[in-house]
Amino acid sequence: MNSALQDDDSDYKKSLRKAQIQLVKLQKHVIKHGQKVVVIFEGRDASGKDGTIKRIVEHLSPRDTRVVALSAPSDHDRKAWYFQRHIEHLPVTGEIVLFNRSWYNRAGVEPVMGFALDEEVEEFLNTAPMFEHLLVHCGFTILKYYLDISREEQERRLKNRLNDPLRQWKLSPIDAKALKRWDEYSKARNVMLRRTQAVSSPWIVVKADDKKSARLNVIRDKLSRCEFHGKDEHGELPDLNRVFLFDERHLKNGMIET
């Protein structure tokens, strides 16, 4: 590794440590004040959700932090109200829960892969904002991140998974179809962002081709949106060119990958 790369890695680790210290302070505040925090991560396959979540929870209390990554719904789940199986995983007072994919599967993977009927998707798009509004009304804080990567970067990462024996657990049959259905996923994403954007639970888009930048910017954005005792008011702010609130104009001006 050359000195420039070493310097970059050293700067990243220092910045990450500072941000993680602030996350610990945030968690202490959440516990003390009995807050309930929901953090949702969505994005294409290989967009970096796992790595970002790992850096967020790395030094947090495992008793008061949970990561939820639900498997495919069972036959029993399919007979239930769509949101029902997610409700049991919501945080209680003093908890932070991170969803690695969430109820938004109904707006992304399911319609693209043919796992949901058009009327089921439409019902979801109509009711998701109401569901989240109710959660906010009941005291939940909801942060929704969409990690956005380019087609070229997704292809590179999926190939790396295929060739890396330590990461092959991440491979799934859906991964193989991700690139072939790029345009379908883009269309579903655009509809999801438009229809489920809300003042109380807005979408926060993260440009994620650079993994380290994405991780830092998600953490810094999260910290900037929460008030807590001991907050570093002079700490690093998120790069607003890399993490920003969704606006429909972003689908046309190149801010979001097409």
Side-chain angles (χ1 to χ4, degrees):
M1 182 182 292
N2 63 43
S3 59
L5 290 176
Q6 287 178 329
D7 289 343
D8 287 346
D9 190 55
S10 177
D11 289 344
Y12 165 71
K13 288 180 178 178
K14 289 178 181 177
S15 297
L16 180 62
R17 177 174 172 78
K18 288 180 181 179
Q20 289 175 327
I21 290 172
Q22 293 295 301
L23 281 175
V24 172
K25 293 180 182 180
L26 169 60
Q27 182 172 54
K28 289 174 66 177
H29 184 90
V30 168
I31 294 170
K32 181 178 179 180
H33 294 276
Q35 296 176 334
K36 296 170 286 190
V37 181
V38 178
V39 188
I40 290 172
F41 286 94
E42 295 292 339
R44 298 180 192 269
D45 294 315
S47 60
K49 298 181 290 295
D50 292 333
T52 301
I53 291 171
K54 180 179 178 180
R55 272 65 183 187
I56 291 173
V57 305
E58 188 172 8
H59 299 290
L60 298 185
S61 164
R63 292 184 178 180
D64 305 289
T65 311
R66 286 186 289 118
V67 177
V68 177
L70 297 181
S71 57
S74 66
D75 290 340
H76 181 270
D77 292 329
R78 292 188 182 94
K79 295 175 182 178
W81 177 46
Y82 179 71
F83 295 100
Q84 196 161 327
R85 75 182 188 126
H86 298 91
I87 289 175
E88 63 179 293
H89 297 285
L90 291 173
V92 298
T93 55
E95 273 193 327
I96 299 172
V97 171
L98 302 94
F99 281 89
N100 187 344
R101 295 198 184 277
S102 64
W103 42 86
Y104 282 102
N105 269 352
R106 178 54 50 100
V109 173
E110 291 189 13
V112 171
M113 298 302 296
F115 299 153
L117 301 173
D118 290 345
E119 51 265 36
E120 291 175 322
V121 176
E122 182 63 22
E123 175 72 11
F124 171 81
L125 293 170
N126 286 330
T127 57
M130 292 188 283
F131 173 66
E132 291 171 9
H133 182 73
L134 176 62
L135 293 182
V136 172
H137 177 75
C138 292
F140 292 85
T141 297
I142 302 177
L143 297 172
K144 301 189 304 192
Y145 290 99
Y146 183 87
L147 275 55
D148 189 44
I149 58 172
S150 65
R151 188 170 192 159
E152 295 75 20
E153 180 63 14
Q154 185 187 48
E155 183 175 12
R156 187 188 69 80
R157 292 183 186 180
L158 290 176
K159 285 182 178 178
N160 285 344
R161 284 184 183 181
L162 187 63
N163 297 323
D164 186 344
L166 295 179
R167 287 192 287 177
Q168 289 187 358
W169 61 270
K170 290 187 174 185
L171 291 171
S172 72
I174 292 177
D175 288 341
K177 300 178 181 178
L179 286 168
K180 294 178 181 178
R181 300 194 176 185
W182 176 273
D183 292 338
E184 294 172 70
Y185 274 112
S186 294
K187 182 179 178 180
R189 174 205 61 196
N190 296 351
V191 172
M192 178 189 78
L193 294 176
R194 288 190 186 109
R195 297 280 300 275
T196 61
Q197 175 79 341
V199 173
S200 60
S201 55
W203 279 106
I204 305 158
V205 180
V206 184
K207 298 184 79 66
D209 272 11
D210 183 326
K211 289 184 178 182
K212 292 179 180 179
S213 171
R215 292 164 185 169
L216 280 175
N217 276 295
V218 166
I219 295 174
R220 289 170 177 171
D221 182 84
K222 180 180 177 181
L223 293 170
S224 73
R225 295 180 187 280
C226 300
E227 294 302 323
F228 54 94
H229 180 72
K231 182 174 180 176
D232 184 0
E233 301 296 342
H234 303 290
E236 292 289 337
L237 295 174
D239 182 346
L240 298 183
N241 290 314
R242 292 182 175 273
V243 56
F244 46 88
L245 289 177
F246 169 72
D247 187 296
E248 189 161 349
R249 291 173 296 178
H250 297 148
L251 299 175
K252 300 177 181 178
N253 64 12
M255 289 290 283
I256 295 178
E257 295 290 340
T258 57

